[in-house]
Amino acid sequence: MEITKVAIVGLGTVGTGVARLLLEHGDRFTRHAGRTLWLEKAVVSDLKKPRDVELPKGVLTDKLSDVTGNPEIKAVVQLIGGLEPDRTIMLKLLESGKDVITANKALLAEHGPELFDRARELGRSIAFEASVAGGIPIVAAIGQCLSSNEIRSLHGILNGTCNFIVSQMDHHGASYDDALREAQRRGYAEADPTMDVDGSDAAQKLSILAHLAFGARVHWRDIPREGIQNLQAADLKFARELGFRIKLLAVAQLVGDQLELHVAPQLVRLGSPLADVRDAYNAVRVVGDAVGKVWFHGLGAGQMPTASAVVADLIDTVVGRTAITFRTLELWSQRPARVAPRDFGMAESRFYLRFDVDDHPGVLSEITGILGRHGISIASVIQHEPTAGAGDAVPLVIMTHVTQQGAADKAVAEIDKLNSVRGRSVRIRVHE
Amino acid sequence: MEITKVAIVGLGTVGTGVARLLLEHGDRFTRHAGRTLWLEKAVVSDLKKPRDVELPKGVLTDKLSDVTGNPEIKAVVQLIGGLEPDRTIMLKLLESGKDVITANKALLAEHGPELFDRARELGRSIAFEASVAGGIPIVAAIGQCLSSNEIRSLHGILNGTCNFIVSQMDHHGASYDDALREAQRRGYAEADPTMDVDGSDAAQKLSILAHLAFGARVHWRDIPREGIQNLQAADLKFARELGFRIKLLAVAQLVGDQLELHVAPQLVRLGSPLADVRDAYNAVRVVGDAVGKVWFHGLGAGQMPTASAVVADLIDTVVGRTAITFRTLELWSQRPARVAPRDFGMAESRFYLRFDVDDHPGVLSEITGILGRHGISIASVIQHEPTAGAGDAVPLVIMTHVTQQGAADKAVAEIDKLNSVRGRSVRIRVHE
C-alpha cells in the first residue's frame, strides 16, 4: 500500500481534529485515497501546550523547516488563522514543493491573488473547501458539480457566530450580550468576536464564493456589509409578528450583467428554508440556469465539520484531483473579472423600518412625508405600545413596498434628523 | 485552445439538453475545463425524428461505429435508458477506448459490477452523478466531499414522480389518478409509471447510494420497498391532523454494524425539512460522524437539471478527475461488502395504522388485543367519522409506540383476518 506523507501546521481546534481523523480513522483514507496518509509532522509554536490528541513520538515539532526541508512530505494542512505569519508560511510551503490545504478565508480574501499566482508559478495547488461554510461542500459544488451552469444567484447564511446569536435572541429571548456570551462559551465565537458580528467574516466568504461562482473580483472590504451588533430584541419581535425572522444573509445576485453583493441582516419569511436555519448551522441557496435551485444546509464551523472538509481536501490533493481543478479553474489569476459589482444604492427590496418616536399627532405625517419625497411607497404601518425603558417614545414600524437601497438610506437619514424621532432608526431589507 | 471531442448517444429529453448546453454555452466549459468541448457526433436510432436542438451538419448519425471507430472522441455521454441495448452499447464504448457518462440508475443497479469491472480492466471510467437525484451533487458529495466521514445514515426523497403525485394529493386534494395524469402531462412520469410509483426507481437509487456511502452490496430487488400506489387521500388527511405529511422515503441507516435499508411511504413531521420537499424536488439528508447532518435539496429530474449533472461529469471526465475517482473508489469491485443488510423485520419505528372497521362494540378490543399480543403498545386511537362511500365502515386510526416492522406486519396481517375489518389495512412507518 503506497504511503503519502503529510503534515499539519497549527494544532489548534481544527488542527487537532484533523490529526485525530488521520490517526484514528486511517482506514477511511486508505479506502478513499487508495494509499495510506501518514502524518509525518505537526508544527506548533508552543511545544509545551497541552494538545487534545496523542501524537506519535517525533511528530510534534516547533520547526517549520522539519516540513519544508523534507521532500517526502507532499501535502500540508495549514490551520493557523490570521494573515501573518499564515501568508509567509504558506509561501514557504509552496516554495518548498508542498501542496497546501487551508481553512483561512481571511487569508484568501486578502491575499488570494498573490498566493494563487505563486502556487501556479510553482506548479503547486491550494485547496480551500473548509474556508467557506465548514462541512458543507459548497466550494466543490460551485467549482465542479455545478460547472455546467451559469450561476444566477447565491444566498447564504455563512457565519455561524451570528446565526447562533440571533437564534438565541429569537428562539430563547436572550439579550444580545447574553447570546454572545453563550456563543463564546460554546466555542461559536472568539474572545474578540468583532469580525464575526460586524459581518466581515461573512463578507470575506462571500467574496470568495463570488469569485468562484461569478468570476467577480471584489475585495471583501468593498462589499457593503452590516453585522448584527445593532440588532434589537424588539425588531425580532416585530418581525415575527409580521411573519418573518431576521437572519444575517450574504447575497450575490446577477442583475443584468452586474453583480449585486451585500451582507446584512434581512427579514426572511417564517417557515422558509433560510428562516429555519438554526444556531451554528450554515446554508447556501444557489440558483443555476440549468439546475435551478439547489440548497445546502449543514454545520458551518466547529472542530469536526471543518476537519471533515480539510481532510476531504487533503485526499483530493494527494490523489491529484486538486491539481487538475487548480489548473483549470485559474482562480484569482490574470483573467479579467467576468462581472462588475453593482452599485448597492440601486439594490431593490422591500424594507422594514422602525422609528422610536414621540407620541404626538403629526409625527406619522412627517415621516411618511419624507418617505414619499424619496419615492418610497408604504405597504403597512404599525404603531406599537411603548417598549419598556423607552420613556414615552413609541415604536413605529413601517413596511415599505419595493424601493432602492439608496432611497431607503437617504430617507432614513433624513427622518433621523427629525426632533420627534429618538435615537437611530432601524432599516432592514426584506428577503424575497 | 485545446479541443476535446465528445459524443452523445441517445438524443431524448436529457440528450437534447446536453447537446444544447454544449452547443449554446461552450464558453462555460472552456472556462471550467481549460479546453473546448467539441460535440463530434450524436447517435440516434431514428434519423428522421424531429429533435429539439439544431445540430451542426454531420453531427447526427445512426451509426454507433461513427463513435466507436473514431479515436479522437474521448468521452461519450450515454443517455438511452433501459437495460439493453444500453449495457451492450456501454461495453462497446468502453472497449473502443471511450470514457462514459451515464444517468441510467437501472443499468447501474443491475449491471454495475460487470460494467465497472470491465471499465477497470480497460483503464476507462464511468461517471454517474446524474443517475441519482438529478442536479443535486449527491454522488460527488458522498464519494469525495464527505470522504473523511463514516456515513451513519442517509434519508432521501429520491423519486420526483412519487413526490409530485403525493404533493398534488396532499396540497391540492387531487386523487391519485388525477395526480398521476398531471405528472405525466408535465413530464414527471412515464406512460408506464410502474417502476416509479412502486418504489423500484427509488430502490435502485438507494442501492447505488448505499454502495457509495456504506460499501453495501445489496441488489435493489432485495431492498424492502413499497410504493405510493396504495396511498389514499384519507391517510394524507389523517396524517395531517396528527401533525404529519406522508412522503416516499428511501432510508439507509447503520444500526450497529448492519445496514437498515428500505423504501416506503412514511409519516414525516409537518414543518420538518423532509415534509417541505415539494413536487418534483428531491432531497437527501446525510449524517457523517465528523460533519454531522448535511442536507441537500434540489430538482431530482427534468431535462436541464439532469443535463447539468451529466455535463459536469463530462467536464470531470475530460479534465481527468473522474479517472482518479474511478480508480481510487473501486466501486462494485472485488472488495468485499463493508456492511451487511439488516433484517427489515427488526427495523424499529412508531407506526400509523388505519383500519376500516364495522362500527360495533368490541372491535377496538379485538384489534388492540392483537396488537398487545404482538408486543405493540398504543400511543393514541382515533375513531373517525365514516368516510364517504365506505358504507357503514368507520376508519380507526392508531398510532403505536416504537415497535419492530416484523411485529407490525404480523399484527396487521392478523387484524386483516377479523370479520369486523374491511379491506386491507394501512400501516405506515413514522419517520423520526
Side-chain angles (χ1 to χ4, degrees):
Chain A
M1 171 68 61
E2 196 183 329
I3 288 178
T4 299
K5 294 189 177 183
V6 303
I8 302 174
V9 175
L11 218 52
T13 311
V14 182
T16 303
V18 171
R20 282 168 54 192
L21 274 176
L22 292 175
L23 294 169
E24 294 167 21
H25 297 294
D27 52 300
R28 292 179 198 179
F29 315 122
T30 311
R31 194 170 65 237
H32 277 103
R35 70 190 71 192
T36 301
L37 295 185
W38 185 274
L39 179 60
E40 180 79 357
K41 289 289 174 191
V43 185
V44 299
S45 48
D46 182 352
L47 287 172
K48 293 200 184 62
K49 182 174 168 184
R51 308 285 168 180
D52 202 14
V53 58
E54 221 181 287
L55 295 168
K57 217 168 141 62
V59 170
L60 196 67
T61 175
D62 59 357
K63 301 200 207 61
L64 186 67
S65 54
D66 281 354
V67 174
T68 53
N70 183 345
E72 292 187 336
I73 294 175
K74 301 297 182 195
V76 181
V77 165
Q78 188 176 334
L79 294 163
I80 303 170
L83 296 179
E84 287 290 1
D86 217 28
R87 173 187 155 275
T88 299
I89 288 173
M90 189 175 287
L91 289 168
K92 285 185 178 170
L93 290 170
L94 294 168
E95 281 154 10
S96 67
K98 320 297 178 202
D99 295 315
V100 178
I101 295 96
T102 181
N104 193 339
K105 84 278 316 180
L107 184 66
L108 293 178
E110 289 290 356
H111 299 296
E114 178 199 8
L115 293 164
F116 272 59
D117 273 346
R118 194 75 184 107
R120 265 184 288 269
E121 279 171 26
L122 297 162
R124 305 262 58 89
S125 67
I126 300 171
F128 58 99
E129 180 67 69
S131 69
V132 184
I136 305 177
I138 190 63
V139 172
I142 297 175
Q144 297 171 50
C145 311
L146 302 182
S147 55
S148 58
N149 289 263
E150 179 191 68
I151 306 294
R152 292 271 161 81
S153 72
L154 192 151
H155 292 70
I157 289 171
L158 299 179
N159 183 278
T161 308
C162 288
N163 204 59
F164 178 83
I165 290 171
V166 175
S167 288
Q168 291 290 111
M169 293 173 71
D170 199 6
H171 296 274
H172 302 288
S175 71
Y176 176 86
D177 290 324
D178 285 344
L180 171 56
R181 238 187 310 275
E182 180 63 16
Q184 288 164 326
R185 197 186 69 75
R186 293 202 203 189
Y188 292 144
E190 310 283 336
D192 177 3
T194 310
M195 300 263 305
D196 286 303
V197 300
D198 75 357
S200 295
D201 173 86
Q204 290 174 340
K205 290 164 178 169
L206 185 63
S207 74
I208 294 170
L209 292 183
H211 181 58
L212 187 63
F214 301 93
R217 294 294 292 261
V218 181
H219 193 278
W220 73 268
R221 287 188 194 280
D222 295 329
I223 294 179
R225 65 197 177 282
E226 215 177 290
I228 59 163
Q229 323 93 298
N230 299 319
L231 207 55
Q232 315 244 353
D235 294 306
L236 290 165
K237 178 163 95 76
F238 296 147
R240 205 175 319 118
E241 286 168 10
L242 290 161
F244 296 89
R245 295 200 187 281
I246 300 180
K247 296 287 184 189
L248 185 77
L249 297 189
V251 175
Q253 171 111 36
L254 270 184
V255 181
D257 59 357
Q258 292 193 314
L259 190 64
E260 206 174 275
L261 277 168
H262 46 94
V263 170
Q266 295 206 31
L267 263 66
V268 286
R269 205 159 263 300
L270 267 169
S272 67
L274 279 168
D276 288 340
V277 180
R278 297 278 298 259
D279 300 323
Y281 277 90
N282 282 186
V284 186
R285 187 183 89 199
V286 185
V287 178
D289 68 341
V291 73
K293 275 187 293 199
V294 191
W295 168 260
F296 305 84
H297 176 281
L299 283 167
Q303 181 188 49
M304 295 317 292
T306 313
S308 164
V310 166
V311 178
D313 266 357
L314 182 59
I315 294 171
D316 271 1
T317 299
V318 150
V319 298
R321 273 192 297 258
T322 306
I324 294 173
T325 309
F326 192 77
R327 193 182 63 241
T328 52
L329 286 189
E330 285 188 358
L331 297 173
W332 291 296
S333 65
Q334 302 308 315
R335 281 190 193 172
R338 287 207 313 280
V339 72
R342 193 174 191 244
D343 167 20
F344 185 45
M346 294 173 60
E348 295 189 348
S349 179
R350 291 202 291 152
F351 282 85
Y352 161 99
L353 307 173
R354 174 169 66 85
F355 308 103
D356 286 331
V357 301
D358 294 336
D359 195 3
H360 296 159
V363 171
L364 186 55
S365 168
E366 279 185 298
I367 288 175
T368 56
I370 292 173
L371 291 174
R373 282 201 299 284
H374 286 274
I376 301 171
S377 294
I378 292 159
S380 61
V381 180
I382 307 167
Q383 183 165 307
H384 286 84
E385 299 301 309
T387 43
D392 58 350
V394 284
L396 191 69
V397 169
I398 295 177
M399 288 287 272
T400 74
H401 285 298
V402 173
T403 187
Q404 294 193 338
Q405 181 75 33
D409 289 345
K410 290 194 190 96
V412 171
E414 208 177 305
I415 290 167
D416 275 352
K417 295 197 184 110
L418 294 173
N419 286 332
S420 46
V421 172
R422 314 272 189 90
R424 266 183 71 218
S425 306
V426 170
R427 61 139 182 57
I428 305 178
R429 289 174 72 93
V430 179
H431 178 264
E432 251 132 1
Chain B
M1 174 64 63
E2 197 183 328
I3 289 178
T4 300
K5 294 189 177 182
V6 303
I8 302 174
V9 175
L11 218 52
T13 311
V14 181
T16 303
V18 171
R20 282 168 54 193
L21 274 176
L22 292 174
L23 294 169
E24 293 166 23
H25 297 293
D27 52 301
R28 293 179 199 179
F29 316 122
T30 311
R31 194 169 64 238
H32 278 102
R35 70 192 70 193
T36 302
L37 295 186
W38 185 274
L39 179 59
E40 180 79 356
K41 289 288 175 191
V43 185
V44 298
S45 48
D46 180 354
L47 288 171
K48 294 200 185 59
K49 182 174 167 183
R51 308 286 168 178
D52 202 14
V53 58
E54 221 180 288
L55 295 168
K57 217 166 142 60
V59 170
L60 195 68
T61 174
D62 59 358
K63 300 200 207 63
L64 187 66
S65 53
D66 281 353
V67 174
T68 54
N70 183 344
E72 292 186 337
I73 295 175
K74 303 295 181 197
V76 181
V77 164
Q78 188 176 335
L79 294 163
I80 303 169
L83 297 178
E84 288 290 0
D86 217 29
R87 172 188 156 275
T88 300
I89 288 173
M90 189 175 286
L91 289 168
K92 285 185 177 168
L93 290 170
L94 294 168
E95 281 154 10
S96 66
K98 321 296 179 202
D99 294 315
V100 179
I101 295 95
T102 181
N104 193 338
K105 84 278 315 178
L107 184 65
L108 294 177
E110 288 290 357
H111 299 296
E114 177 198 10
L115 293 165
F116 272 59
D117 272 347
R118 194 75 185 108
R120 265 184 288 269
E121 278 170 27
L122 295 163
R124 306 261 58 88
S125 66
I126 300 171
F128 58 100
E129 180 69 69
S131 69
V132 184
I136 304 176
I138 189 63
V139 172
I142 297 175
Q144 297 171 50
C145 311
L146 302 182
S147 54
S148 58
N149 288 263
E150 179 191 70
I151 306 294
R152 291 271 161 81
S153 72
L154 192 150
H155 292 71
I157 289 171
L158 300 178
N159 183 278
T161 308
C162 287
N163 203 59
F164 179 84
I165 290 171
V166 176
S167 287
Q168 292 289 111
M169 293 173 71
D170 199 7
H171 297 274
H172 303 285
S175 71
Y176 176 86
D177 290 325
D178 284 345
L180 172 56
R181 238 187 311 276
E182 180 62 15
Q184 288 164 326
R185 197 185 70 74
R186 294 201 201 189
Y188 292 145
E190 311 282 336
D192 176 3
T194 311
M195 300 264 303
D196 285 303
V197 301
D198 75 357
S200 295
D201 174 85
Q204 289 174 341
K205 291 164 178 168
L206 184 63
S207 74
I208 292 171
L209 292 183
H211 180 58
L212 187 64
F214 301 93
R217 295 294 291 259
V218 181
H219 193 277
W220 73 269
R221 287 188 196 280
D222 294 330
I223 294 180
R225 65 197 177 282
E226 216 178 292
I228 59 162
Q229 322 92 298
N230 298 320
L231 206 56
Q232 316 244 352
D235 295 307
L236 290 165
K237 176 161 97 75
F238 297 147
R240 204 175 321 118
E241 286 168 11
L242 290 161
F244 296 90
R245 294 200 187 281
I246 300 180
K247 295 288 185 191
L248 185 78
L249 297 189
V251 175
Q253 172 111 36
L254 270 185
V255 182
D257 60 357
Q258 293 193 313
L259 190 64
E260 205 174 276
L261 275 168
H262 46 95
V263 169
Q266 295 206 31
L267 263 65
V268 286
R269 206 159 262 299
L270 268 169
S272 66
L274 279 168
D276 288 340
V277 180
R278 297 277 297 259
D279 300 324
Y281 278 87
N282 281 186
V284 186
R285 188 184 87 200
V286 185
V287 179
D289 68 340
V291 74
K293 275 187 294 199
V294 191
W295 167 260
F296 304 84
H297 176 283
L299 283 167
Q303 181 188 48
M304 295 316 292
T306 314
S308 164
V310 166
V311 178
D313 267 356
L314 182 59
I315 294 170
D316 271 0
T317 299
V318 151
V319 298
R321 273 192 297 258
T322 305
I324 294 172
T325 310
F326 192 76
R327 193 183 62 241
T328 51
L329 287 190
E330 287 188 357
L331 296 174
W332 291 295
S333 65
Q334 300 309 312
R335 282 190 193 173
R338 287 206 315 279
V339 72
R342 192 175 192 244
D343 167 20
F344 185 45
M346 294 174 60
E348 295 189 347
S349 179
R350 291 203 290 151
F351 282 86
Y352 161 100
L353 307 173
R354 173 169 66 84
F355 308 104
D356 287 331
V357 301
D358 294 335
D359 195 1
H360 295 159
V363 172
L364 187 55
S365 167
E366 279 186 299
I367 288 175
T368 57
I370 292 173
L371 292 173
R373 280 201 301 283
H374 285 275
I376 300 171
S377 296
I378 291 160
S380 61
V381 180
I382 308 166
Q383 183 165 308
H384 286 82
E385 298 301 309
T387 44
D392 57 350
V394 283
L396 191 69
V397 169
I398 295 177
M399 288 287 271
T400 75
H401 285 299
V402 172
T403 186
Q404 293 193 339
Q405 180 76 34
D409 288 345
K410 290 193 191 97
V412 171
E414 209 178 305
I415 290 167
D416 275 351
K417 295 196 185 113
L418 294 172
N419 285 332
S420 45
V421 172
R422 314 272 191 89
R424 266 182 70 219
S425 306
V426 170
R427 59 136 186 59
I428 305 178
R429 290 174 71 92
V430 178
H431 178 263
E432 250 133 358

